[in-house]
């Protein structure tokens, strides 16, 4: 990291707020390739500002405009089509991740959830669950894995209605995703991993179980044989993800990356084991990924992006950084949003 | 289908073959959230895509258009979905499609939609695609031996289409290149447990333990083979506890007295003790030799001593080792 104009050695909240405000106003061209997931980007911006204690500085009124629903939410208006000759919206297909992000945003801004057509969202969602318990994100055919099990569980939790999924089947699928080393893969058989693309496999597994009510409060004190997942192995694997540089890695023998401070830190938090990490060392690492322009990058000394920034802020919230508000780890939004205004 | 970059530069509105189509613009509303600074050509391509998708026009020109849209944004799952419908309607050559995917994928090795599309094509081609898919994933892995998508796809190919014969050798080769490659260890586990040619985990355990012990002995600080070793005894902890190869491996590493490299040996020994392993004097002596004067070892048994030592030599997890100590049976 260069000493000329580098980021200060403390969490630079003001700069981060400015960074998100800029993103909120206009995302650079580089984000063109992620435009189908604009709702996810909006979630990062809005939830990020909320965690930083600066929600009032997001667009106040206009968030609800993006949240139009057709049995679920789209990622972006680029995939929205006018009604056909019969007045039907058949070309519009919702996406579970977008639905999750939309509901999260609505929770954050205190939207009245009784105005939401929960029934149609949940019915549609039920049809996305596969026979092995996993979920596909869209009806038009896509990969099915743990990321969408998490989205489904989070949606049910926020709508306070579990008719959208068969919890037992989902639990079974999650169980089949636990790897021989204790972590979870995105699908049965795959390498256990804290994150892949847009979600953390192990985070998705544990957060889903927590939301569905399958994780007892004092799970660490129970003997390992009483739990349906191998908790001891999971705990050991997760703690081992904190590397010598203080940061968290996604898999064994890989480089530390900002976002895993949330994905793996979150797992430990849910298990009641966050106290076992070295918080000072983690803070030190994260600050090397803090950009002098605001935001966080994946690795030290790189340019920031909104995804790593959001998870950097979430990680600092878990570290109880002054000025940041506490988060509900398993939902990925501030505690106060999760509980309801 | 060759990509013609020159053609793609001419605005679609100026191409005669598209003169009959009215593009459908995107309606972001008056105050969009997180607007993106789209390039003009991106906007235009998507406007025309919306038109043909809405009209459900499954034609060759639509196919070309989806390729253009994909080149500009490979993440749009609606575009990929429609491309699949067109490919089916036109009964297109799917081997050519594999080439298209390879070309698009080379710049986007971590894009979910591309890999999903690849799987869809391979599924349609069936065993005709087996060797091509194994070669393709091998190519991607030669650039990034830990690409999660490539590994997932490769696992799917093996399970759906076969090709297991050389997989264990492939893992061996990758581990020779980098014994710290956790993905390769994971794949090895996958092959050993699921290959129809190898007889399953229990049948393979003996030879795999030998292989793993060698790997650990060479690099005791490598987490991957330690986890793999434990995995070889999945659902059979007693065998793991009772197998002298496991405990003597720990002993061997500890006797070498390299603190930095002893963490996994110590934690494994701790786990063995917690599962009923009865240590001989050799173990007690070996752990004893790792003690530092600052440790308070009054009232300590072997397990407690290990926890205290781990607290010193693995300081990141000091709180964890303290907790483990508190959980030991008195």
């Amino acid at each position: 990291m260069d000493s000329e104009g580098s980021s200060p050695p403390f969490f630079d909240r003001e700069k981060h707020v400015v960074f998100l405000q800029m993103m909120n106003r206009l995302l650079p061209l580089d984000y063109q390739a992620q435009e189908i997931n604009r709702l996810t980007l909006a979630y990062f911006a809005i939830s990020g500002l909320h965690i930083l204690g600066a929600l009032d500085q997001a667009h106040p009124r206009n968030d609800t405009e993006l949240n139009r629903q057709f049995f679920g939410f789209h990622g972006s208006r680029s995939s929205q089509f006018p009604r056909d000759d019969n007045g039907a919206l058949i070309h519009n297909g919702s996406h579970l991740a977008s639905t999750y992000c939309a509901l999260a945003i609505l929770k954050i801004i205190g939207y009245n959830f009784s105005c939401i057509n929960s029934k149609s969202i949940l019915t549609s969602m039920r049809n996305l669950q596969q026979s092995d318990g996993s979920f596909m994100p869209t009806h038009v055919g896509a990969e099915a894995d743990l990321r969408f099990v998490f989205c489904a569980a989070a949606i049910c939790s926020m709508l306070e209605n579990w008719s959208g999924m068969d919890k037992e089947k989902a639990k079974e699928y999650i169980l089949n995703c636990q790897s021989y080393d204790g972590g979870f893969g995105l699908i049965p058989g795959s390498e256990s991993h804290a994150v892949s693309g847009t979600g953390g496999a192990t985070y998705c597994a544990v957060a889903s179980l927590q939301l569905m009510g399958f994780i007892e409060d004092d799970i660490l004190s129970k003997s390992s044989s009483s739990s349906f997942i191998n908790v001891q192995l999971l705990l050991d694997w997760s703690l081992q993800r904190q590397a010598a540089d203080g940061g968290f890695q996604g898999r064994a023998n890989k480089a530390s990356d900002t976002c895993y401070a949330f994905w793996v830190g979150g797992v430990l938090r849910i298990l009641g084991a966050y106290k076992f990490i070295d918080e000072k060392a983690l803070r030190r690492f994260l600050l090397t990924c803090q950009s002098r322009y605001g935001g966080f990058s994946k690795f030290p000394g790189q340019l920031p992006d909104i995804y790593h920034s959001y998870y950097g802020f979430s990680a600092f919230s878990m570290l109880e950084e002054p000025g940041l508000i506490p988060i509900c780890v398993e939902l990925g939004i501030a505690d106060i949003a999760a509980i309801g205004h | 289908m060759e990509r013609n970059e020159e053609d793609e530069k001419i605005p679609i509105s100026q191409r005669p073959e598209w003169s009959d189509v009215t593009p459908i613009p995107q309606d972001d509303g008056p105050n969009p959230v997180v607007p993106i600074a789209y390039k003009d050509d991106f906007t235009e391509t998507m406007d025309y895509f919306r038109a043909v998708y809405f009209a459900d026009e499954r034609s060759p020109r639509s196919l070309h258009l989806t390729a253009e849209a994909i080149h500009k944004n490979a993440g749009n799952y609606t575009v990929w979905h429609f491309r699949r419908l067109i490919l089916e309607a036109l009964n297109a050559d799917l081997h050519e499609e594999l080439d298209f995917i390879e070309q698009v994928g080379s710049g986007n090795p971590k894009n979910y939609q591309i890999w999903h599309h690849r799987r869809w094509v391979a599924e349609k081609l069936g065993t005709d695609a087996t060797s091509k898919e194994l070669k393709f994933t091998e190519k991607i892995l030669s650039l990034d031996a830990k690409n999660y998508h490539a590994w997932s796809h490769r696992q799917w190919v093996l399970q759906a289409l076969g090709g297991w014969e050389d997989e264990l050798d492939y893992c061996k080769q990758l581990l020779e290149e980098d014994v710290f490659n956790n993905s390769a260890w994971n794949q090895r586990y996958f092959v050993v447990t699921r290959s129809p040619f190898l007889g399953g985990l229990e049948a393979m355990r003996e030879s795999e333990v030998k292989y793993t012990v060698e790997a650990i002995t060479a690099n005791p600080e490598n987490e991957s083979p330690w986890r793999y070793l434990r995995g070889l005894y999945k659902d059979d902890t007693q065998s793991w506890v009772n197998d002298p190869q496991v405990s003597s491996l720990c002993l061997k590493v500890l006797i070498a007295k390299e603190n930095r490299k002893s963490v996994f040996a110590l934690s494994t020994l701790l786990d063995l003790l917690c599962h009923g392993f009865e240590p001989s004097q050799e173990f007690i002596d070996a752990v004893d030799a790792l003690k530092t004067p600052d440790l308070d070892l009054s009232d300590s048994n072997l397990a407690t001593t290990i926890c205290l030592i781990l607290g010193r030599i693995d300081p990141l997890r000091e709180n964890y080792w303290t907790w483990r100590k508190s959980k030991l049976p008195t």
Side-chain angles (χ1 to χ4, degrees), chain B residues 214-231:
Chain B
E214 262 180 54
I216 291 173
T217 306
N219 293 96
E221 74 281 22
N222 186 353
E223 182 185 348
S224 301
W226 283 104
R227 301 265 180 220
Y228 184 78
L229 182 65
R230 181 73 188 266

Side-chain angles (χ1 to χ4, degrees), chain A residues 96-117:
Chain A
L96 270 187
S98 307
T99 304
Y100 159 72
C101 289
L103 292 177
I105 292 171
L106 293 174
K107 274 272 182 213
I108 291 165
I109 65 174
Y111 190 75
N112 184 351
F113 265 53
S114 59
C115 300
I116 293 179
N117 188 347

Side-chain angles (χ1 to χ4, degrees), chain A residues 271-289:
Chain A
L271 295 176
Y274 196 72
K275 54 193 172 182
F276 298 146
I277 73 164
D278 186 331
E279 292 190 28
K280 276 207 183 75
L282 176 59
R283 257 190 128 253
R284 243 183 291 123
F285 171 79
L286 289 175
L287 288 175
T288 65
C289 297

Side-chain angles (χ1 to χ4, degrees), chain B residues 2 11 19 29 49 53 69 80 95 156 177 199 221 232 238 251 258 261 273 284 300 308 314:
Chain B
E2 296 256 312
S19 54
F49 169 76
Y53 183 61
W80 281 109
H95 282 283
W156 173 81
E177 287 167 23
E221 74 281 22
L232 290 173
Q238 270 318 113
L251 184 61
E258 290 177 86
K261 299 189 177 187
L273 292 168
I284 297 168
S300 286
L308 287 165
D314 189 21

Side-chain angles (χ1 to χ4, degrees), chain A residues 19 31 46 48 53 84 88 106 143-144 175 209 218 220 233 235 252-253 259 267 272 293:
Chain A
F19 174 82
Y31 288 90
I46 294 163
D84 67 7
L106 293 174
E143 66 282 16
L175 197 57
L209 292 172
D218 52 351
L220 288 187
L233 220 49
L235 176 65
N253 297 325
C259 63
V267 167
Y293 306 114

